[in-house]
Amino acid sequence: MIRLPTPPVPRLTRLDIARGMVLGPSAAPPLPATDRRAARAVPPAMAPPGCPIASTPLAALEQAVLPALARPPCVVSFSGGLDSSLVLAVAVRVARREGLPPPVPVTWRFTDAPQAEESDWQDDVIRALGLTGPWHQLQAGDDLDFVGPVAARLLHRHGVLHPANLHLHLPIIELAEGGSLLTGAGGDQMLAGWRRPARTIRSRLRLALCPAVRAVLPPGRRRAIAAYPWLRPDVAVDCYRAYAAQRRAEPARLERRIRWHLNRRHLVMTCASLAGVAAEHDVSVVNPLLDAGFLMALATEPGGLRLPGRDELLARIAGDTLPAVITAPRRKATFLQVFLRRHSRDFVASWDGSGVDTDLVDPVALRREWSRWPIPPGTVSLLQQLRLAAHPDPAGQPPAANSEVTDDPAATVPAPR
């Protein structure tokens, strides 16, 4: 088998690291775009060779997982959440129908992280699918800390990456050496989008203001500083304004929301980083929920819906074909308790206030924020950057420098006011 080429891993800007967030549209080629009209006449080249163009989202997902199943071992990053459960169920169904080796689910089990607990759902899904083959259950205590031993391997190799928890997939990728990895990446964006607050009279009046008027209104300085207390005040205001503008810009209609998210730096960088790290282990990453054929089918069927919920979309995709537990509503796990552990706590307690970009970050304010536990999630990239500077690669090889990009309007350093 021909070894996969290794694509470059994208770099974060100074501002990305300082604010702990990737915003704006991508200058890199976007993920496969789609629209409702084009979906009625999908070019045959978009479908896998020899496969008919899918007429439903579920059929499109079945086509999307085939390349991964045809490159064993086909490992599935399986958390027990809705997205990974859907991908695993489709992969199992296709492997059985086509006589291919079954997919191998890989699951993390965490200690002392009750908010990340999903073991009951994991067991229920595996049981419902009738899987009797291998199921790798990896155990993690402090191992997956943002600056722990697993993260350090990527930090020393690549520097600070997006997302900050990308190292979660490194042991899974190593299990898939020479094969493929199926993930549920993109589910939060394609099937859920922003969690929009309920509309109030005040919010309706604010939205009714024309953009020109809204642009000159006070940007909510106190609110911005409260959201980014570790940043210089003017930087915090600009970051808050950019974040608020991006939230407002997300379209309500599903087909437009899909196109919009496909061109966000956050999603493009996430997929590119995962693919780059995986290629170093000769692993092909397949994200079925971002597959062009699936998104075209999704935009064709319920694409005209306005603000559809995740449950509604999953019901439309799965229908009566998949076991009910696959799409049953469940509490969404959170993983901060997994990644902020002993290694992070020890480092922030010993940090002397040096090493930050003082044009963007106020070191005194950052020390104040780090005096409380847990530290703000928005400071995690700073944590990784400072930890890497304090503990470089013992082999003496510096990571690739984080390079500046110019496609993100919010990535420029604001001029002093």
Side-chain angles (χ1 to χ4, degrees):
M1 184 179 292
I2 299 175
R3 188 172 180 88
L4 293 172
T6 304
V9 176
R11 305 299 171 198
L12 294 169
T13 69
R14 293 166 54 211
L15 187 55
D16 291 334
I17 293 175
R19 69 188 172 192
M21 186 179 299
V22 172
L23 297 174
S26 175
L31 296 166
T34 180
D35 63 61
R36 196 178 182 188
R37 288 168 295 181
R40 297 194 179 98
V42 181
M46 297 297 291
C51 292
I53 296 172
S55 58
T56 67
L58 182 58
L61 281 180
E62 292 177 344
Q63 290 183 8
V65 302
L66 267 173
L69 290 168
R71 185 185 169 92
C74 175
V75 166
V76 182
S77 180
F78 172 59
S79 68
L82 288 168
D83 302 330
S84 64
S85 296
L86 176 63
V87 169
L88 177 61
V90 172
V92 168
R93 172 182 168 87
V94 174
R96 288 171 176 166
R97 186 182 66 206
E98 303 295 332
L100 294 169
V104 180
V106 181
T107 300
W108 280 106
R109 293 285 175 93
F110 310 111
T111 60
D112 301 321
Q115 294 176 2
E117 173 60 39
E118 294 183 292
S119 58
D120 289 344
W121 284 108
Q122 295 160 2
D123 294 339
D124 290 346
V125 168
I126 295 295
R127 189 181 307 112
L129 294 177
L131 281 175
T132 57
W135 174 21
H136 296 292
Q137 299 178 47
L138 309 179
Q139 304 294 324
D142 293 334
D143 317 58
L144 295 180
D145 187 292
F146 279 123
V147 292
V150 180
R153 292 165 57 195
L154 283 188
L155 288 171
H156 290 147
R157 172 76 173 163
H158 297 287
V160 182
L161 295 179
H162 177 78
N165 63 356
L166 185 69
H167 60 280
L168 172 80
H169 276 97
L170 183 56
I172 301 176
I173 288 170
E174 291 170 339
L175 287 172
E177 186 87 30
S180 58
L181 171 64
L182 283 170
T183 85
D188 285 341
Q189 293 80 17
M190 300 302 110
L191 303 180
W194 292 112
R195 292 188 177 92
R196 294 173 181 265
R199 292 283 178 85
T200 64
I201 294 177
R202 182 177 179 180
S203 67
R204 291 177 187 276
L205 288 173
R206 188 186 307 117
L207 290 172
L209 295 173
C210 69
V213 174
R214 192 166 58 226
V216 300
L217 290 178
R221 189 175 183 87
R222 289 183 181 178
R223 188 179 299 176
I225 294 173
Y228 302 95
W230 62 92
L231 296 180
R232 298 293 184 188
D234 288 344
V235 179
V237 169
D238 282 4
C239 290
Y240 185 81
R241 183 180 288 173
Y243 175 67
Q246 180 154 303
R247 285 184 65 98
R248 288 194 303 267
E250 186 197 40
R253 199 171 296 277
L254 176 62
E255 58 176 300
R256 296 174 184 170
R257 186 177 83 193
I258 289 173
R259 291 199 304 271
W260 185 83
H261 274 293
L262 287 175
N263 197 38
R264 295 295 97 190
R265 287 180 67 229
H266 160 68
L267 189 57
V268 172
M269 289 185 70
T270 296
C271 293
S273 297
L274 184 59
V277 171
E280 295 178 343
H281 297 268
D282 197 27
V283 173
S284 172
V285 178
V286 177
N287 306 308
L289 299 182
L290 294 172
D291 176 75
F294 168 67
L295 296 179
M296 288 178 180
L298 193 64
T300 300
E301 286 201 345
L305 295 178
R306 183 177 177 83
L307 295 176
R310 197 188 205 114
D311 294 347
E312 180 182 2
L313 288 177
L314 286 171
R316 285 174 176 262
I317 293 169
D320 297 326
T321 305
L322 302 178
V325 69
I326 302 300
T327 57
R330 63 201 71 175
R331 176 188 66 84
K332 188 170 179 62
T334 58
F335 296 91
L336 200 60
Q337 293 177 335
V338 172
F339 301 116
L340 285 178
R341 308 280 286 223
R342 174 175 57 86
H343 300 284
S344 293
R345 188 192 293 269
D346 290 348
F347 180 79
V348 300
S350 63
W351 180 54
D352 62 4
S354 65
V356 297
D357 185 340
T358 54
D359 288 337
L360 303 175
V361 178
D362 180 345
V364 175
L366 182 60
R367 288 196 71 174
R368 183 173 61 248
E369 293 302 311
W370 281 2
S371 68
R372 298 183 289 269
W373 191 262
I375 64 174
T379 64
V380 166
S381 292
L382 283 169
L383 169 68
Q384 292 182 325
Q385 182 186 54
L386 293 169
R387 177 62 170 74
L388 178 60
H391 300 275
D393 185 359
Q397 297 295 324
N402 287 305
S403 60
E404 291 292 319
V405 296
T406 58
D407 64 306
D408 178 12
T412 55
V413 179
R417 293 185 177 89

